[in-house]
Amino acid sequence: MFEVTGPPESGRTAALKRIADHVSGGTRLIAVRASAFESDVDSTVLAQVMADLGADPDRPTAELCRVLLDAAPLVLVLDDAQWMDESSIRWLRALLRRIHRAPVAVVLATTGLGTAAEDALAEDDSVTTPPWYVVALPPPAPDEDRIARTLHVMSEQDVRLLRAMAVCGGQFERSLVRGLAGLDGVHADRAMTRLRGLGLVTADEPRLTDGVARAVLGAMSGDQRADLRSEAVLLGHQAALGFERMSTILAEAPPVGATWARLVLQRQARVLADAGRTVEAARLLIRALGETADEATRADVLIQLAQCELDHAPEAADRRLVEVLHTTGPAMSGPRLRAADVLACRERSGVSRRAIEIALAHPDLTESEREALKGLYWYVVSVAGEPGELGVPVVPSLPDPPADPVCRGVAAWRLACAGSGDAVALATSALAVRGPLTPRLAAADVLSWAAEHDKALAAVDAVLVDGRRCGSRVAVAEAMLLRCSVRLRQGRVVEAAEDLARAEAELPRGCRTPLFSARHLALEVVLLLAAGLVDDARAALVREPIDAAQGLTYAWRLFAGGLVALVTEPATAAVTFVECGRCLRDHGIVNPSVLPWRFLAAMGWRAAGEVARADALIAETCDLAVRWGAPGFLRETRKLADLVRAMPSGSAAGEFSAGLFPRLLARPAPGRS
């Protein structure tokens, strides 16, 4: 007695054919095949065997056995024996108890699916049963077509367990999988054994092998998948699964219509975004948008989604924010302002300016919201340098003095760029209210220009806390960049380098705006030159090309290039810094504290022997510093003026310039030893 067993597509039929081909020498071969469609038709297989022997199948079982034994020597080959009918099984069992009387071999092929026929054949209730040899064929590599065919010959219990495992995706414990499949422990264990035999489940850990889940889900109808996933979600919620596992199941399930589902998805999206897995986080948030929510709640999800899409879909992120900004409704005031804040901080002037203009036309804006949006609008215009159409402002100018905290922060920044000393008081009052992040960063910028370094750092730290709490990656990166700049002014080089690295990690190159990239580049070049790494600074300029021929982006790019040129080509550096100054003045930025281009250009002129030009720039800087009126900055200006006047000309200038940055940035911060 031989049994060839193996899952569908493992080659059982081919093995039987090879056996049949080797039957020779007067030995008779009878080969029949059972069918799943005739497994309930009485004596189907037996009738095929008796027809081959020319006998009537309606005779008693003992006589039918004798007919076959009298035809020996004989090999009986039965393919797909798992589908044999009951009468044929009883006859075969009776034959197996008698084949020791004659040279007869029986070869069965079964799938190991645990059908009724296989269970009956496995029963051993007679000592006369011949030795039973089993040849187990290995399961084939899973493929979707094979698995789909296998599903048609599996029992209902096996299919239910397989579907439950496919839907759960390894997120459920065994008891929950059994519950989803509707099986008790005994039937689930038997089904698991059969699935292992089919090669659909791993032997060591009960999980589906590669490709099986996809094939099983593909064989289900859309309604079947949706219903089973909905059951899985509710079962997981009742079992209090963790956020990670629940979010994995929710991501594929249809909308639940419950608040907890959206909160689970949002919470796990924050965890993924913090780990840098923003694409996965965005997928969860897109799924969260399918849950029922009011306009304000939906807007919160859209803003969170936009922050995640900065890495891989910045245009889509802009559209999300604009959608929130243009949504009307009494509860939308807060979300609208947050969306406008993120847009303004992104420094994508064309998108943000037009979006805020349209939002300001909403009739249901509160007065405070209107003033805040107006302040953000003028910040965007100030950074971009874009005038209103035909010289007529679309949005009214900021009031003087501004009452709204957002307007105060923006007005302080604009006044500080122009070098007006009134800006410091405005910036301080703007920071007294913890509102939108962009104007607070602008106000902190003002304090840093006024050499109020400790106050500026306190403001930056507050923005970092609020920015991380609300997931505003752009604001966090901008705050890191500003903190790097302040610490450089203090001479805290190591801490400044750490801040620059954190800003880069927060906002990778692919999702930075041109202005952010240019400012980052300038700070990186300063740090490299402070370390004496001139070649690395030159390489950074090549690595970070910025395609802009005008505006603040171009000014910062020129400033970075001038810093590198100052060491080797002072005259070229002077021309570069003068062009940088022209771009800044075109934007109304005359405050020498924003960028010290005049002093650096003066150093280049002195090195080139143009002392008159250099002295004129030094005098202009000192006059503007007096007009700016910040005591700390005024003291720094006078020290720098003395340093520049000591700049030698000729060949000694290069050595002086090479040691300039380490000398400047290694100085102790005020109040530090």
Side-chain angles (χ1 to χ4, degrees), residues 233-234 237 250 255-265 288 291-292:
V233 165
L234 294 177
H237 180 58
L250 279 167
V256 178
T259 302
W260 63 262
R262 175 184 53 77
L263 293 175
V264 166
L265 292 166
E291 296 295 336
T292 304

Side-chain angles (χ1 to χ4, degrees), residues 84 321 366 648:
M84 288 177 64
L321 296 170
T366 64

Side-chain angles (χ1 to χ4, degrees), residues 477-478 480-481 484 488 497 499-505 507-509 512-527 540 543-544 546 556 560:
E478 289 280 358
M480 289 291 185
L481 213 60
C484 172
L488 276 175
D499 284 330
L500 192 66
R502 292 191 188 103
E504 185 167 357
L507 212 60
R509 278 190 171 83
R512 301 176 193 169
T513 61
L515 180 55
F516 184 96
S517 296
R519 290 159 52 216
H520 182 281
L521 174 63
L523 293 171
E524 181 182 5
V525 166
V526 170
L527 286 166
R543 186 182 66 246
E544 191 83 37
I546 297 173
W556 279 90

Side-chain angles (χ1 to χ4, degrees), residues 27-107:
T27 300
R28 186 167 187 170
L29 171 69
I30 299 178
V32 297
R33 186 171 195 167
S35 170
F37 300 103
E38 296 178 327
S39 60
D40 57 350
V41 178
D42 201 36
S43 300
T44 302
V45 173
L46 176 60
Q48 294 181 57
V49 175
M50 291 300 114
D52 222 332
L53 293 171
D56 183 3
D58 292 332
R59 298 161 66 180
T61 300
E63 292 183 18
L64 293 174
C65 291
R66 190 178 305 112
V67 168
L68 187 138
L69 295 173
D70 289 345
L74 181 145
V75 175
L76 174 61
V77 176
L78 296 174
D79 198 1
D80 283 338
Q82 71 274 4
W83 302 125
M84 288 177 64
D85 59 275
E86 291 185 12
S87 296
S88 298
I89 292 172
R90 287 195 298 270
W91 168 78
L92 179 60
R93 287 178 58 77
L95 176 69
L96 293 179
R97 288 193 295 270
R98 293 173 171 83
I99 61 173
H100 63 282
R101 302 175 184 174
V104 173
V106 177
V107 183

Side-chain angles (χ1 to χ4, degrees), residues 597-608:
W597 65 268
R598 294 177 181 84
F599 273 154
L600 295 170
M603 293 179 67
W605 289 132
R606 288 189 71 87

Side-chain angles (χ1 to χ4, degrees), residues 322-387:
V322 171
E323 179 184 347
V324 174
L325 190 55
H326 293 169
T327 302
T328 59
M332 285 297 296
S333 178
R336 271 198 302 260
L337 194 54
R338 286 199 300 276
D341 186 26
V342 176
L343 278 171
C345 200
R346 286 259 289 145
E347 297 167 350
R348 292 172 65 89
S349 56
V351 174
S352 51
R353 184 174 65 86
R354 288 190 296 272
I356 297 174
E357 282 178 4
I358 295 172
L360 280 166
H362 291 169
D364 60 342
L365 297 181
T366 64
E367 187 59 31
S368 61
E369 184 183 4
R370 190 178 301 279
E371 288 300 306
L373 289 176
K374 186 194 299 182
L376 292 172
Y377 171 86
W378 281 110
Y379 174 80
V380 171
V381 170
S382 299
V383 171
E386 297 181 13

Side-chain angles (χ1 to χ4, degrees), residues 168 170-174 176-177 180 232-233 235-236 241 245 249:
C168 293
Q171 304 302 318
F172 278 12
E173 290 85 0
R174 293 189 189 184
L176 293 179
V177 174
L180 184 61
V233 165
L235 190 63
L241 289 186
R245 291 195 288 174
I249 300 170

